[in-house]
Amino acid sequence: MPAVNNVLVIGGGLAGTATAIQLTRHGVAVDLVEVKPDIAAIGSGITLQGNALRELRRLGVWERVSRAGFPYNNLGLRAPDRDGTLLVEFPDVRSGGPDLPATMGMPRPLLARILLDQAIATGVKTSFGVTVAGLEQDATGVEVTFTDGSAGRYDLVVGADGIRSATRRMLGISVDPRPVGMGIWRVFGPRPASVTRTDLYYGGPCYLAGYTPTGEDSLYAYVVEDSGDHSGLTPEQRLARVCELASAYHGPWDDIRSALTDPSRVNYTNFETHLLPAPWHRGRVVLIGDAAHSCPPTLAQGGAMALEDATVLAELLVEGDVLDDALWDAFTARRHARAAEVVAASNQIAQWLLDHEQGDIPGLVHRIGDLVSQPA
Ligand SMILES: Cc1cc2nc3c(=O)[nH]c(=O)nc-3n(C[C@H](O)[C@H](O)[C@H](O)COP(=O)(O)OP(=O)(O)OC[C@H]3O[C@@H](n4cnc5c(N)ncnc54)[C@H](O)[C@@H]3O)c2cc1C
């Protein structure tokens, strides 16, 4: 018997949908509320490392994901010189196992759609444009009131509501994300034939420039610079800014830049990071994914960590008969140190870049690759 009979999941991102799917499959009744009226119709790309792919396969969506994304097994490092000289191409760690690609690029909205479809098909009760107005818990459950005036009582509430988690605030946890000092411009566009894997260019006018194929016809490309407030720029000015910053990068970047014409597909985000000390629960409310930890995407592991949090939580809830300290201790033991290492390594790379210090980035990438190759 699962440790819980009914669960409220707050947030329909990777962590929330993955938790909901896995609990519902085992007979737990799950309500999922997502504050947005719908999943995003447009968005950038996402790089899914092997350990994320392993979790997606567990969720039963691997067939759809593999058809929609662009798999590859190598990572390229290029120089910020006039030819975009390829310095080295090395095999990426196949952290999901030998039968999965090392990495896959995907359009984010497609991934969100696939997970949401799977949640609905599994029997998750989803509500969009609704969130939690209040939480009150006692020894046996959580009374929840919703912004649409409805209410419910749950054995457990999972706060999977992202980096600005309102659930975190409702629990009175005051660990907030701090700025890292850098920001990333991401632009979604057509994939030229010259782009068949992620290539990274360290140095030049930006800390980092790179691109990732997300499908036969698409990619996302990115440049990382000092953080700033670009909210006053028009879409056209944002596209011009990206193209100007990227003009120092060559090789496949030349093909990419000339095909970037859609100003509506440019997105800017400042890097932030935080890590909640253990435990991530208060009574019968637990935080997972970006609500509990976040980091700059220098290792592209944030999504994988969110999916792993979901798997471990669901597994413990389904296998444990009772929601007790032993269950929460087991959750902490399997998640906290692993997420903390990924956050620290991601921040270390960002710090090396900020300090213009020649750190051993390939070494760190491989160390984390080895760590996350062990199932969560
Ligand atoms: C610039 C950037 C690039 C990144 N690139 C990668 C990458 O390539 N690969 C990778 O693995 N990771 C990447 N990440 C990290 C990754 O995006 C996150 O770690 C991951 O999305 C976390 O999933 P989540 O479900 O915890 O949170 P989110 O994806 O943020 O989902 C939270 C959901 O909750 C909803 N929500 C918010 N508030 C409420 C509320 N009050 N009530 C109900 N719903 C609410 C939101 O609308 C959202 O749908 C990147 C992060 C950044 C910032």
Side-chain angles (χ1 to χ4, degrees), residues 9-17 33-36 45-49 52 108 130-132 160-167 170 184 186 220 267 269-272 288-291 293-297 299-307:
V9 173
I10 308 173
L14 296 179
T17 48
V33 288
E34 163 58 52
V35 73
K36 288 194 208 129
I46 186 163
T47 305
L48 296 165
Q49 306 293 3
R108 271 184 188 257
V130 180
T131 187
V132 169
D161 48 351
I163 192 164
R164 313 246 166 268
S165 173
T167 314
M170 284 184 200
I184 187 168
R186 287 176 295 169
Y220 73 111
N267 169 289
T269 312
N270 282 314
F271 288 167
E272 293 176 285
I288 61 168
D290 274 15
H293 46 79
S294 66
C295 52
L299 288 165
Q301 272 292 337
M305 289 298 106
L307 291 168

Side-chain angles (χ1 to χ4, degrees), residues 273-288:
T273 185
H274 78 296
L275 172 70
L276 291 198
W280 293 345
H281 76 288
R282 298 290 184 274
R284 291 175 170 267
V285 183
V286 62
L287 301 171
I288 61 168

Side-chain angles (χ1 to χ4, degrees), residues 61-77:
V61 296
W62 171 240
E63 289 293 313
R64 282 189 71 187
V65 165
S66 62
R67 273 202 308 275
F70 194 102
Y72 51 96
N73 294 308
N74 293 335
L75 179 69
L77 293 184

Side-chain angles (χ1 to χ4, degrees), residues 137-138 142 155-156 171 281-286 323 328:
Q137 53 177 317
D138 54 44
V142 190
D155 293 339
L156 175 71
L171 292 175
H281 76 288
R282 298 290 184 274
R284 291 175 170 267
V285 183
V286 62
L323 191 62
W328 290 124

Side-chain angles (χ1 to χ4, degrees), residues 14 39 48 60 126 133 149 166 196 209 234 245 262 373:
L14 296 179
I39 53 170
L48 296 165
T126 57
T196 56
T234 64
L245 287 167
D262 184 352
S373 294

Side-chain angles (χ1 to χ4, degrees), residues 8-25 30-34 39 55-56 58-61 108 110-126 128 158-161 288 303 306-307 310-311 314:
L8 172 68
V9 173
I10 308 173
L14 296 179
T17 48
T19 307
I21 292 166
Q22 296 183 77
L23 288 176
T24 307
R25 263 196 198 148
V30 178
D31 290 347
L32 184 153
V33 288
E34 163 58 52
I39 53 170
E55 299 309 325
L56 292 168
R58 197 194 300 267
L59 293 168
V61 296
R108 271 184 188 257
L110 254 179
L111 179 60
R113 180 84 261 161
I114 290 171
L115 285 170
L116 183 63
D117 285 352
Q118 183 73 345
I120 291 168
T122 313
V124 177
K125 204 176 134 230
T126 57
F128 283 84
V158 179
D161 48 351
I288 61 168
L307 291 168
T311 289

